[in-house]
Amino acid sequence: DTAVSQTPKYLVTQMGNDKSIKCEQNLGHDTMYWYKQDSKKFLKIMFSYNNKELIINETVPNRFSPKSPDKAHLNLHINSLELGDSAVYFCASSQGQYENIQYFGAGTRLSVL
Amino acid sequence: RKEVEQDPGPFNVPEGATVAFNCTYSNSASQSFFWYRQDCRKEPKLLMSVYSSGNEDGRFTAQLNRASQYISLLIRDSKLSDSATYLCVVNIHKLIFGQGTTLQVKP
């Protein structure tokens, strides 16, 4: 049983398209995150939700919109995709917002052509 | 200056070697510290937390020096399976990841 699962695993799309990535965790955690890992391997937090409430919103273009329908799900919608959006996007979860240990999904490799 | 800095490597070592990774962080308000491990094309996974008193988990020893804002990871008796990227992570109300140090253990 995968604890944090995200779909799709790979996403190849054209510039200007809109796409979504889904994430689900079955750990009963309250807090979920989206990270972006670029080609230089830096892993940076984008958003964090605690019990469906947005608690971290880094400087991310507003083309990126997270949605948390319930505390087990955190989806990421990206409008008007750009070449620079190509990266690996990781979803993660933790017991609570002050919990240090985070569990990551396998990642979604997004390639924008 | 990056918030968390690591030598990206790669470190190429023979099996059985002892290897040490270092990391510095810029924010003295950092609250907690970790090493995560990321295998090629995989997700990061927690390796161990880091405490000022130093802590050990089998062949792995982590150390924190708050005064110098410096974190280290020592791996003894390297195994082929230790080949991965080791991410230094600092918590300042959110996790800040270093770029990672790549280790390649050769037979």
Side-chain angles (χ1 to χ4, degrees):
Chain A
D1 285 343
T2 305
V4 181
S5 58
Q6 49 183 113
T7 55
K9 193 163 183 178
Y10 299 96
L11 191 49
V12 181
T13 188
Q14 299 285 335
M15 259 175 31
N17 284 350
D18 303 339
K19 291 292 178 187
S20 291
I21 309 172
K22 296 187 176 181
C23 180
E24 176 182 2
Q25 53 94 5
N26 62 6
L27 297 167
H29 287 168
D30 287 341
T31 311
M32 295 184 73
Y33 310 82
W34 277 111
Y35 286 86
K36 177 180 179 181
Q37 188 168 41
D38 60 25
S39 57
K40 293 184 179 175
K41 306 299 182 188
F42 278 104
L43 191 65
K44 289 188 178 175
I45 190 165
M46 300 171 70
F47 302 102
S48 174
Y49 273 72
N50 186 61
N51 262 320
K52 302 193 297 176
E53 188 179 326
L54 181 67
I55 53 171
I56 293 176
N57 185 351
E58 292 294 296
T59 309
V60 176
N62 58 15
R63 298 182 294 104
F64 290 78
S65 50
K67 280 193 171 54
S68 182
D70 55 62
K71 73 174 193 175
H73 295 84
L74 180 61
N75 304 323
L76 183 65
H77 188 76
I78 316 170
N79 288 327
S80 303
L81 277 155
E82 299 178 358
L83 294 176
D85 297 332
S86 297
V88 182
Y89 293 84
F90 286 101
C91 176
S93 74
S94 64
Q95 185 67 53
Q97 63 184 107
Y98 302 114
E99 174 61 48
N100 298 309
I101 300 171
Q102 295 184 11
Y103 297 84
F104 285 77
T108 296
R109 294 187 174 275
L110 171 64
S111 296
V112 182
L113 307 176
Chain B
R1 184 183 169 188
K2 296 190 187 87
E3 292 181 274
V4 179
E5 293 211 55
Q6 295 181 249
D7 178 351
F11 283 59
N12 295 302
V13 304
E15 268 187 294
T18 294
V19 61
F21 304 139
N22 304 318
C23 164
T24 56
Y25 60 95
S26 59
N27 192 331
S28 58
S30 302
Q31 300 158 331
S32 47
F33 310 86
F34 310 90
W35 285 100
Y36 273 69
R37 170 187 169 138
Q38 186 171 22
D39 290 292
C40 188
R41 301 179 77 83
K42 298 282 189 184
E43 71 274 21
K45 291 183 180 176
L46 178 68
L47 178 67
M48 58 197 303
S49 301
V50 189
Y51 305 111
S52 297
S53 53
N55 48 301
E56 193 173 301
D57 182 1
R59 297 180 293 108
F60 297 81
T61 301
Q63 195 78 43
L64 165 66
N65 184 323
R66 280 189 184 268
S68 304
Q69 295 181 197
Y70 171 95
I71 304 162
S72 65
L73 177 68
L74 183 77
I75 306 176
R76 288 180 300 278
D77 189 23
S78 300
K79 311 288 184 199
L80 295 176
S81 57
D82 294 335
S83 298
T85 297
Y86 291 84
L87 303 166
C88 178
V89 184
V90 167
N91 186 344
I92 323 164
H93 306 297
K94 61 188 177 188
L95 295 189
I96 309 293
F97 286 78
Q99 185 181 6
T101 298
T102 299
L103 172 65
Q104 188 67 42
V105 182
K106 308 272 189 198

